[in-house]
Amino acid sequence: MSSAGALWFAVQDDVFSSACIDTPATIVSATRDKHPSQSSTTTSNVTSDSERHSLLDRFDDSFLLQNFHLSRQCLRFIIDYMHSRLKKDIYAASNSLMSTEARSLAAVYFHANGSLTNLITERLEIDLNEAREAVKTLTKLLSDTSPDFITFPSSYNDRMGAAHVFKNVSGIPHVVGVLGYFHVQVTPPPGQEQMFVNTLGYHSAMMQVIFDLDGNILSLEQCCPGGTPEHSVWASTVIGKQFTTFQHGHSWVLGGRGLFGGGHVLTPIMDPSIKTKAVKRFNKAHALVYGHVQQVFGALKSRFQCLRDIGSFQTLKSVAYTVKACCVLHNISKKFSVPLPCNCILEPIHPPSSAVTSTAELPYDYMEDTKNEMIEMFFGHAEGHEDDD
């Protein structure tokens, strides 16, 4: 687990201790799941609390993983959290734990499978229409909680901890995250089809994502049409502006070719006239790390199959709610070490748009000299690198 991941769980201890005062045993057992050495203690706590989750405990572990793509303890953690949040809503139809269990499980089932069935709603003892409303309500609720569950390493020590992991894997220094653009297939509104066509040729909406090498989502923002050039999105995001003003120091995020020219974004060197061994080594190291985009995005769509095709939508905000909710659940599943329900299908990397084919159209890269110096310093010598031939 990266230092950012450890920070996430530290934040959760505070979040849940204040939000779930009435359910201490469940929260303690959920928090302890992150420590494998304490598994026996965790099991005893869960068992003693099982009567409070009578609906969840009707299903065996295999059924839960197959249908909800999450483990029992992970689901219990989510249900307790949803219950604590919904109890604060005085207009909620029911504040009982039983009702929250059914609604939460219906919402998770929808995200995991992309649809609701009469069979699952019958097993959950919830009306199909009520289940559909629960999906809308809890998707919005999970999306709203994303600042609690999706956190960027903001302190110097957290950044250095994250950078140490990247340096060990690739040799590239001061990298704190991988920057990518997550595309979900959509059916665009009439008359707006062209702006949603991405560089792979299908209609999509996309969101900017930064993640660490463990696959934890660190930053998620800016839902926009799939045809939007990536470099223009980065410049307008909160995290992009933070890097521009050096709020994250002299650290980098590692991005693809579509972000060429973006300050604080390390992209592969594409200039064919530059053929030094240092550049070749750097590009090889970059490809090693950037390949994680395919794995992380593929894992998201494997666990949460609603992200494979959202279909028609009213606003991009509604698409963002779904993606954020799934990313929150993804980060929780990572902390509980829940395996994927099936083999991960790697997500294809989107080639850059035509906007980056001409360097004349690109903004001035104020970090270019620093990038070149870094490449020469860390990749200019053969020591520690494999033979280039």
Side-chain angles (χ1 to χ4, degrees), residues 246-271:
F246 291 86
Q247 292 184 41
H248 298 289
H250 287 270
S251 57
W252 313 90
V253 289
L254 190 145
R257 292 183 297 153
L259 286 152
F260 181 73
H264 285 274
V265 181
L266 285 176
T267 58
I269 305 300
M270 298 185 293
D271 189 339

PDB file of all heavy atoms in Angstrom, residues 246-271:
ATOM      1  N   PHE A 246       2.856  25.011  -8.482  1.00  0.00           N
ATOM      2  CA  PHE A 246       3.844  24.315  -7.657  1.00  0.00           C
ATOM      3  C   PHE A 246       3.336  24.009  -6.245  1.00  0.00           C
ATOM      4  O   PHE A 246       4.118  23.939  -5.298  1.00  0.00           O
ATOM      5  CB  PHE A 246       5.153  25.113  -7.586  1.00  0.00           C
ATOM      6  CG  PHE A 246       5.890  25.155  -8.899  1.00  0.00           C
ATOM      7  CD1 PHE A 246       5.598  26.119  -9.850  1.00  0.00           C
ATOM      8  CD2 PHE A 246       6.858  24.207  -9.191  1.00  0.00           C
ATOM      9  CE1 PHE A 246       6.262  26.150 -11.069  1.00  0.00           C
ATOM     10  CE2 PHE A 246       7.537  24.221 -10.403  1.00  0.00           C
ATOM     11  CZ  PHE A 246       7.239  25.200 -11.352  1.00  0.00           C
ATOM     12  N   GLN A 247       2.023  23.789  -6.116  1.00  0.00           N
ATOM     13  CA  GLN A 247       1.488  23.401  -4.813  1.00  0.00           C
ATOM     14  C   GLN A 247       1.914  21.992  -4.431  1.00  0.00           C
ATOM     15  O   GLN A 247       1.854  21.620  -3.257  1.00  0.00           O
ATOM     16  CB  GLN A 247      -0.040  23.505  -4.821  1.00  0.00           C
ATOM     17  CG  GLN A 247      -0.568  24.922  -4.926  1.00  0.00           C
ATOM     18  CD  GLN A 247      -2.081  24.984  -4.827  1.00  0.00           C
ATOM     19  OE1 GLN A 247      -2.697  24.290  -4.017  1.00  0.00           O
ATOM     20  NE2 GLN A 247      -2.700  25.825  -5.653  1.00  0.00           N
ATOM     21  N   HIS A 248       2.333  21.208  -5.437  1.00  0.00           N
ATOM     22  CA  HIS A 248       2.839  19.864  -5.173  1.00  0.00           C
ATOM     23  C   HIS A 248       4.346  19.797  -5.390  1.00  0.00           C
ATOM     24  O   HIS A 248       4.891  18.719  -5.683  1.00  0.00           O
ATOM     25  CB  HIS A 248       2.102  18.854  -6.054  1.00  0.00           C
ATOM     26  CG  HIS A 248       0.624  18.804  -5.790  1.00  0.00           C
ATOM     27  ND1 HIS A 248       0.087  18.266  -4.641  1.00  0.00           N
ATOM     28  CD2 HIS A 248      -0.435  19.279  -6.510  1.00  0.00           C
ATOM     29  CE1 HIS A 248      -1.233  18.380  -4.674  1.00  0.00           C
ATOM     30  NE2 HIS A 248      -1.568  18.987  -5.790  1.00  0.00           N
ATOM     31  N   GLY A 249       4.992  20.934  -5.255  1.00  0.00           N
ATOM     32  CA  GLY A 249       6.438  20.992  -5.373  1.00  0.00           C
ATOM     33  C   GLY A 249       6.911  20.682  -6.779  1.00  0.00           C
ATOM     34  O   GLY A 249       6.205  20.912  -7.763  1.00  0.00           O
ATOM     35  N   HIS A 250       8.119  20.149  -6.867  1.00  0.00           N
ATOM     36  CA  HIS A 250       8.698  19.802  -8.169  1.00  0.00           C
ATOM     37  C   HIS A 250       8.470  18.323  -8.481  1.00  0.00           C
ATOM     38  O   HIS A 250       9.375  17.621  -8.935  1.00  0.00           O
ATOM     39  CB  HIS A 250      10.192  20.138  -8.181  1.00  0.00           C
ATOM     40  CG  HIS A 250      10.467  21.609  -8.244  1.00  0.00           C
ATOM     41  ND1 HIS A 250      10.602  22.308  -9.424  1.00  0.00           N
ATOM     42  CD2 HIS A 250      10.584  22.524  -7.257  1.00  0.00           C
ATOM     43  CE1 HIS A 250      10.816  23.589  -9.168  1.00  0.00           C
ATOM     44  NE2 HIS A 250      10.812  23.748  -7.860  1.00  0.00           N
ATOM     45  N   SER A 251       7.272  17.872  -8.223  1.00  0.00           N
ATOM     46  CA  SER A 251       6.926  16.491  -8.536  1.00  0.00           C
ATOM     47  C   SER A 251       6.228  16.425  -9.884  1.00  0.00           C
ATOM     48  O   SER A 251       5.828  17.442 -10.454  1.00  0.00           O
ATOM     49  CB  SER A 251       6.029  15.899  -7.437  1.00  0.00           C
ATOM     50  OG  SER A 251       4.871  16.682  -7.264  1.00  0.00           O
ATOM     51  N   TRP A 252       6.080  15.195 -10.389  1.00  0.00           N
ATOM     52  CA  TRP A 252       5.491  14.984 -11.707  1.00  0.00           C
ATOM     53  C   TRP A 252       4.311  14.024 -11.610  1.00  0.00           C
ATOM     54  O   TRP A 252       4.222  13.223 -10.687  1.00  0.00           O
ATOM     55  CB  TRP A 252       6.497  14.345 -12.675  1.00  0.00           C
ATOM     56  CG  TRP A 252       7.859  14.923 -12.725  1.00  0.00           C
ATOM     57  CD1 TRP A 252       8.941  14.552 -11.972  1.00  0.00           C
ATOM     58  CD2 TRP A 252       8.321  15.958 -13.595  1.00  0.00           C
ATOM     59  NE1 TRP A 252      10.033  15.295 -12.316  1.00  0.00           N
ATOM     60  CE2 TRP A 252       9.686  16.169 -13.312  1.00  0.00           C
ATOM     61  CE3 TRP A 252       7.707  16.730 -14.582  1.00  0.00           C
ATOM     62  CZ2 TRP A 252      10.453  17.113 -13.983  1.00  0.00           C
ATOM     63  CZ3 TRP A 252       8.470  17.665 -15.258  1.00  0.00           C
ATOM     64  CH2 TRP A 252       9.824  17.857 -14.948  1.00  0.00           C
ATOM     65  N   VAL A 253       3.475  14.086 -12.620  1.00  0.00           N
ATOM     66  CA  VAL A 253       2.596  12.964 -12.946  1.00  0.00           C
ATOM     67  C   VAL A 253       3.023  12.458 -14.308  1.00  0.00           C
ATOM     68  O   VAL A 253       3.559  13.209 -15.123  1.00  0.00           O
ATOM     69  CB  VAL A 253       1.095  13.362 -12.965  1.00  0.00           C
ATOM     70  CG1 VAL A 253       0.612  13.626 -11.561  1.00  0.00           C
ATOM     71  CG2 VAL A 253       0.838  14.550 -13.871  1.00  0.00           C
ATOM     72  N   LEU A 254       2.835  11.185 -14.521  1.00  0.00           N
ATOM     73  CA  LEU A 254       3.283  10.569 -15.771  1.00  0.00           C
ATOM     74  C   LEU A 254       2.078  10.362 -16.679  1.00  0.00           C
ATOM     75  O   LEU A 254       1.095   9.738 -16.271  1.00  0.00           O
ATOM     76  CB  LEU A 254       3.990   9.254 -15.456  1.00  0.00           C
ATOM     77  CG  LEU A 254       4.735   8.562 -16.590  1.00  0.00           C
ATOM     78  CD1 LEU A 254       5.982   7.871 -16.038  1.00  0.00           C
ATOM     79  CD2 LEU A 254       3.835   7.538 -17.280  1.00  0.00           C
ATOM     80  N   GLY A 255       2.127  10.937 -17.891  1.00  0.00           N
ATOM     81  CA  GLY A 255       0.985  10.890 -18.796  1.00  0.00           C
ATOM     82  C   GLY A 255       1.343  10.394 -20.184  1.00  0.00           C
ATOM     83  O   GLY A 255       2.517  10.191 -20.511  1.00  0.00           O
ATOM     84  N   GLY A 256       0.318  10.226 -21.013  1.00  0.00           N
ATOM     85  CA  GLY A 256       0.499   9.706 -22.359  1.00  0.00           C
ATOM     86  C   GLY A 256       0.812  10.781 -23.377  1.00  0.00           C
ATOM     87  O   GLY A 256       0.929  11.970 -23.067  1.00  0.00           O
ATOM     88  N   ARG A 257       0.912  10.361 -24.620  1.00  0.00           N
ATOM     89  CA  ARG A 257       1.316  11.270 -25.707  1.00  0.00           C
ATOM     90  C   ARG A 257       0.323  12.407 -25.908  1.00  0.00           C
ATOM     91  O   ARG A 257       0.700  13.480 -26.382  1.00  0.00           O
ATOM     92  CB  ARG A 257       1.465  10.483 -27.006  1.00  0.00           C
ATOM     93  CG  ARG A 257       2.635   9.501 -27.008  1.00  0.00           C
ATOM     94  CD  ARG A 257       2.753   8.811 -28.351  1.00  0.00           C
ATOM     95  NE  ARG A 257       1.568   8.013 -28.652  1.00  0.00           N
ATOM     96  CZ  ARG A 257       1.145   7.722 -29.884  1.00  0.00           C
ATOM     97  NH1 ARG A 257       1.778   8.211 -30.942  1.00  0.00           N
ATOM     98  NH2 ARG A 257       0.074   6.988 -30.062  1.00  0.00           N
ATOM     99  N   GLY A 258      -0.943  12.197 -25.550  1.00  0.00           N
ATOM    100  CA  GLY A 258      -1.943  13.237 -25.735  1.00  0.00           C
ATOM    101  C   GLY A 258      -1.746  14.429 -24.830  1.00  0.00           C
ATOM    102  O   GLY A 258      -2.392  15.467 -25.012  1.00  0.00           O
ATOM    103  N   LEU A 259      -0.824  14.311 -23.855  1.00  0.00           N
ATOM    104  CA  LEU A 259      -0.559  15.400 -22.919  1.00  0.00           C
ATOM    105  C   LEU A 259       0.773  16.080 -23.206  1.00  0.00           C
ATOM    106  O   LEU A 259       1.287  16.821 -22.373  1.00  0.00           O
ATOM    107  CB  LEU A 259      -0.571  14.865 -21.485  1.00  0.00           C
ATOM    108  CG  LEU A 259      -1.970  14.544 -20.988  1.00  0.00           C
ATOM    109  CD1 LEU A 259      -1.943  13.455 -19.936  1.00  0.00           C
ATOM    110  CD2 LEU A 259      -2.630  15.789 -20.440  1.00  0.00           C
ATOM    111  N   PHE A 260       1.318  15.862 -24.385  1.00  0.00           N
ATOM    112  CA  PHE A 260       2.588  16.472 -24.760  1.00  0.00           C
ATOM    113  C   PHE A 260       2.492  17.996 -24.643  1.00  0.00           C
ATOM    114  O   PHE A 260       1.561  18.605 -25.153  1.00  0.00           O
ATOM    115  CB  PHE A 260       2.945  16.079 -26.197  1.00  0.00           C
ATOM    116  CG  PHE A 260       4.260  16.636 -26.675  1.00  0.00           C
ATOM    117  CD1 PHE A 260       5.440  16.109 -26.203  1.00  0.00           C
ATOM    118  CD2 PHE A 260       4.297  17.688 -27.562  1.00  0.00           C
ATOM    119  CE1 PHE A 260       6.655  16.616 -26.630  1.00  0.00           C
ATOM    120  CE2 PHE A 260       5.498  18.204 -27.995  1.00  0.00           C
ATOM    121  CZ  PHE A 260       6.685  17.671 -27.537  1.00  0.00           C
ATOM    122  N   GLY A 261       3.435  18.580 -23.941  1.00  0.00           N
ATOM    123  CA  GLY A 261       3.438  20.023 -23.766  1.00  0.00           C
ATOM    124  C   GLY A 261       2.834  20.482 -22.465  1.00  0.00           C
ATOM    125  O   GLY A 261       2.853  21.664 -22.150  1.00  0.00           O
ATOM    126  N   GLY A 262       2.325  19.540 -21.647  1.00  0.00           N
ATOM    127  CA  GLY A 262       1.733  19.913 -20.369  1.00  0.00           C
ATOM    128  C   GLY A 262       2.788  20.004 -19.281  1.00  0.00           C
ATOM    129  O   GLY A 262       3.563  19.061 -19.076  1.00  0.00           O
ATOM    130  N   GLY A 263       2.858  21.119 -18.576  1.00  0.00           N
ATOM    131  CA  GLY A 263       3.819  21.267 -17.501  1.00  0.00           C
ATOM    132  C   GLY A 263       3.555  20.275 -16.388  1.00  0.00           C
ATOM    133  O   GLY A 263       2.411  19.940 -16.084  1.00  0.00           O
ATOM    134  N   HIS A 264       4.620  19.771 -15.773  1.00  0.00           N
ATOM    135  CA  HIS A 264       4.567  18.794 -14.689  1.00  0.00           C
ATOM    136  C   HIS A 264       4.004  17.453 -15.133  1.00  0.00           C
ATOM    137  O   HIS A 264       3.731  16.598 -14.295  1.00  0.00           O
ATOM    138  CB  HIS A 264       3.754  19.326 -13.500  1.00  0.00           C
ATOM    139  CG  HIS A 264       4.470  20.356 -12.690  1.00  0.00           C
ATOM    140  ND1 HIS A 264       5.326  20.048 -11.666  1.00  0.00           N
ATOM    141  CD2 HIS A 264       4.476  21.704 -12.772  1.00  0.00           C
ATOM    142  CE1 HIS A 264       5.813  21.152 -11.145  1.00  0.00           C
ATOM    143  NE2 HIS A 264       5.317  22.171 -11.796  1.00  0.00           N
ATOM    144  N   VAL A 265       3.833  17.239 -16.428  1.00  0.00           N
ATOM    145  CA  VAL A 265       3.391  15.948 -16.957  1.00  0.00           C
ATOM    146  C   VAL A 265       4.527  15.348 -17.770  1.00  0.00           C
ATOM    147  O   VAL A 265       4.966  15.943 -18.773  1.00  0.00           O
ATOM    148  CB  VAL A 265       2.131  16.075 -17.837  1.00  0.00           C
ATOM    149  CG1 VAL A 265       1.699  14.694 -18.331  1.00  0.00           C
ATOM    150  CG2 VAL A 265       1.001  16.747 -17.080  1.00  0.00           C
ATOM    151  N   LEU A 266       5.030  14.209 -17.334  1.00  0.00           N
ATOM    152  CA  LEU A 266       6.088  13.524 -18.061  1.00  0.00           C
ATOM    153  C   LEU A 266       5.465  12.659 -19.149  1.00  0.00           C
ATOM    154  O   LEU A 266       4.710  11.733 -18.866  1.00  0.00           O
ATOM    155  CB  LEU A 266       6.908  12.649 -17.119  1.00  0.00           C
ATOM    156  CG  LEU A 266       7.893  13.361 -16.199  1.00  0.00           C
ATOM    157  CD1 LEU A 266       8.545  12.355 -15.259  1.00  0.00           C
ATOM    158  CD2 LEU A 266       8.958  14.101 -17.004  1.00  0.00           C
ATOM    159  N   THR A 267       5.765  12.985 -20.397  1.00  0.00           N
ATOM    160  CA  THR A 267       5.273  12.221 -21.543  1.00  0.00           C
ATOM    161  C   THR A 267       6.463  11.627 -22.281  1.00  0.00           C
ATOM    162  O   THR A 267       7.598  12.091 -22.115  1.00  0.00           O
ATOM    163  CB  THR A 267       4.475  13.129 -22.500  1.00  0.00           C
ATOM    164  OG1 THR A 267       5.322  14.203 -22.937  1.00  0.00           O
ATOM    165  CG2 THR A 267       3.257  13.714 -21.805  1.00  0.00           C
ATOM    166  N   PRO A 268       6.245  10.611 -23.098  1.00  0.00           N
ATOM    167  CA  PRO A 268       7.372  10.068 -23.866  1.00  0.00           C
ATOM    168  C   PRO A 268       7.911  11.103 -24.845  1.00  0.00           C
ATOM    169  O   PRO A 268       7.176  11.972 -25.309  1.00  0.00           O
ATOM    170  CB  PRO A 268       6.759   8.870 -24.589  1.00  0.00           C
ATOM    171  CG  PRO A 268       5.289   9.145 -24.621  1.00  0.00           C
ATOM    172  CD  PRO A 268       4.983   9.909 -23.371  1.00  0.00           C
ATOM    173  N   ILE A 269       9.202  11.026 -25.126  1.00  0.00           N
ATOM    174  CA  ILE A 269       9.827  11.930 -26.092  1.00  0.00           C
ATOM    175  C   ILE A 269       9.464  11.456 -27.489  1.00  0.00           C
ATOM    176  O   ILE A 269       9.825  10.344 -27.895  1.00  0.00           O
ATOM    177  CB  ILE A 269      11.351  11.970 -25.913  1.00  0.00           C
ATOM    178  CG1 ILE A 269      11.710  12.339 -24.470  1.00  0.00           C
ATOM    179  CG2 ILE A 269      11.977  12.946 -26.891  1.00  0.00           C
ATOM    180  CD1 ILE A 269      11.186  13.671 -24.023  1.00  0.00           C
ATOM    181  N   MET A 270       8.740  12.291 -28.237  1.00  0.00           N
ATOM    182  CA  MET A 270       8.241  11.876 -29.550  1.00  0.00           C
ATOM    183  C   MET A 270       9.036  12.458 -30.707  1.00  0.00           C
ATOM    184  O   MET A 270       8.856  12.041 -31.849  1.00  0.00           O
ATOM    185  CB  MET A 270       6.771  12.284 -29.689  1.00  0.00           C
ATOM    186  CG  MET A 270       5.848  11.620 -28.685  1.00  0.00           C
ATOM    187  SD  MET A 270       4.102  12.012 -28.985  1.00  0.00           S
ATOM    188  CE  MET A 270       4.088  13.762 -28.610  1.00  0.00           C
ATOM    189  N   ASP A 271       9.903  13.416 -30.436  1.00  0.00           N
ATOM    190  CA  ASP A 271      10.668  14.061 -31.505  1.00  0.00           C
ATOM    191  C   ASP A 271      11.603  13.036 -32.146  1.00  0.00           C
ATOM    192  O   ASP A 271      12.537  12.539 -31.500  1.00  0.00           O
ATOM    193  CB  ASP A 271      11.474  15.224 -30.933  1.00  0.00           C
ATOM    194  CG  ASP A 271      12.110  16.077 -32.025  1.00  0.00           C
ATOM    195  OD1 ASP A 271      12.278  15.584 -33.161  1.00  0.00           O
ATOM    196  OD2 ASP A 271      12.455  17.249 -31.741  1.00  0.00           O
TER     197      ASP A 271
END
